[in-house]
Amino acid sequence: METDICKHIAIIMDGNGRWAKKRGMPRSFGHKKGAENVIEITRAAKDAGVKYLTLYAFSTENWQRSKEEVDALMQLLREYLDKGFKDIMENNVRIRFIGEKKMLAPDILEKMRAIEDKSADNTALTLCVALSYGSRQEILSAVKKTAQLVAEKKVTIGEIDQALFSANLYTADIPDPDILIRTSGEQRISNYLLWQLAYTELFFTDTLWPDFDKNELLTILENFSMRERRYGKS
Ligand code: IPE
Ligand code: IPE
Ligand code: MG
């Protein structure tokens, strides 16, 4: 059987709230553990030779959570951008953010820009963080950009193809994911990478995100290498 190498893993990091609840702790405690696990799993993916890791950190829908929870998540993000920085550089990781940036606070945007710039030449792994991200919004924005090109007569309607459209998504230049993992037992896509997941292999695990570890990641990679894929190989 032909084996397939995984270049790109996308993860829906779900279950932080339930992880904390099981311990009688506030949801923000689960998010803190979840953020620590981002550092662990990024390193594990890099060590396994994966080139792209796209993590769903905060969805456009997540803005509807309580102010208390949103504030706690934004504070954690600030800390991650400050403290995670050293780890990103030491591990030769390039970081990118995808999502609706205009919703985020100016100081956070500034930190995001700085870390994107400083890590731009790192080559071991590209860590793509989906933040304030919604796939339908991303697709609509690509439709608008493409329509603009037509309005400006830079392309004709007939010239619009998958490559042109993909180039107008936030994920331009990033190959489609080979693997999608969702933790915590939920089996939905939750507005994540709808276009990009067309031929991705799906893995659902009951493990809550703070408990998801390197061993489980390696088991999934091994399982993936035994699946036969007809399309979507990068
Ligand atoms: C995922 O964990 C993290 C974010 C969505 C920010 P949840 O916060 O969704 O945790 P559960 O699903 O309530 O357990
Ligand atoms: C999806 O998880 C978003 C992230 C993991 C950031 P949610 O927990 O927000 O998704 P739903 O609401 O259960 O679909
Ligand atoms: Mg959830």
Side-chain angles (χ1 to χ4, degrees):
M1 191 193 306
E2 194 189 340
T3 57
D4 203 359
I5 289 171
C6 175
K7 235 181 168 175
H8 184 177
I9 299 178
I11 306 183
I12 302 177
M13 309 183 289
D14 200 7
N16 293 347
R18 279 163 282 169
W19 186 90
K21 195 173 175 207
K22 265 175 48 182
R23 288 161 179 77
M25 298 295 280
R27 294 177 62 81
S28 57
F29 183 65
H31 293 316
K32 188 169 183 299
K33 284 287 169 191
E36 287 167 16
N37 204 29
V38 165
I39 296 179
E40 292 302 315
I41 294 300
T42 302
R43 196 174 302 145
K46 185 200 84 165
D47 291 346
V50 172
K51 297 308 282 181
Y52 297 88
L53 178 65
T54 300
L55 300 178
Y56 207 178
F58 192 85
S59 72
T60 43
E61 290 71 23
N62 289 152
W63 288 113
Q64 291 161 30
R65 294 193 180 189
S66 71
K67 182 174 181 317
E68 189 193 358
E69 184 168 359
V70 171
D71 286 350
L73 281 163
M74 290 302 141
Q75 199 45 41
L76 263 176
L77 177 60
R78 286 186 179 90
E79 285 168 26
Y80 174 81
L81 290 170
D82 289 337
K83 288 194 211 136
F85 184 73
K86 195 169 156 263
D87 213 72
I88 295 275
M89 296 310 284
E90 277 174 10
N91 281 288
N92 192 18
V93 169
R94 175 179 187 183
I95 191 158
R96 264 179 78 162
F97 295 94
I98 56 170
E100 307 254 299
K101 296 197 173 136
K102 61 180 186 294
M103 308 277 288
L104 295 157
D107 72 300
I108 291 184
L109 280 175
E110 193 38 56
K111 287 181 202 290
M112 282 161 57
R113 244 190 308 269
I115 196 166
E116 271 181 339
D117 283 354
K118 293 216 173 88
S119 70
D121 295 327
N122 291 349
T123 53
L125 170 104
T126 297
L127 173 64
C128 183
V129 182
L131 201 64
S132 187
Y133 174 87
S135 183
R136 287 185 170 179
Q137 293 86 335
E138 176 187 34
I139 289 171
L140 272 182
S141 128
V143 167
K144 288 179 187 170
K145 286 187 210 162
T146 310
Q148 186 67 32
L149 293 174
V150 174
E152 290 169 2
K153 299 207 179 330
K154 290 183 177 148
V155 294
T156 64
I157 290 179
E159 282 168 347
I160 300 172
D161 59 7
Q162 294 188 21
L164 180 95
F165 192 75
S166 296
N168 283 300
L169 294 168
Y170 304 146
T171 51
D173 315 328
I174 298 182
D176 290 340
D178 301 296
I179 291 178
L180 171 77
I181 302 168
R182 183 168 189 151
T183 58
S184 88
E186 308 299 339
Q187 303 198 0
R188 349 175 237 286
I189 301 295
S190 298
N191 204 12
Y192 195 42
L193 304 173
L194 300 176
W195 170 280
Q196 297 88 339
L197 295 177
Y199 279 101
T200 301
E201 294 289 327
L202 308 177
F203 291 84
F204 298 99
T205 167
D206 288 338
T207 307
L208 303 173
W209 172 251
D211 290 331
F212 184 83
D213 64 7
K214 181 177 183 154
N215 286 338
E216 197 166 355
L217 183 79
L218 294 178
T219 304
I220 289 173
L221 279 169
E222 205 179 293
N223 186 320
F224 169 82
S225 72
M226 292 179 314
R227 292 193 186 184
E228 267 194 86
R229 291 169 86 206
R230 203 181 293 271
Y231 303 109
K233 295 185 189 183
S234 50

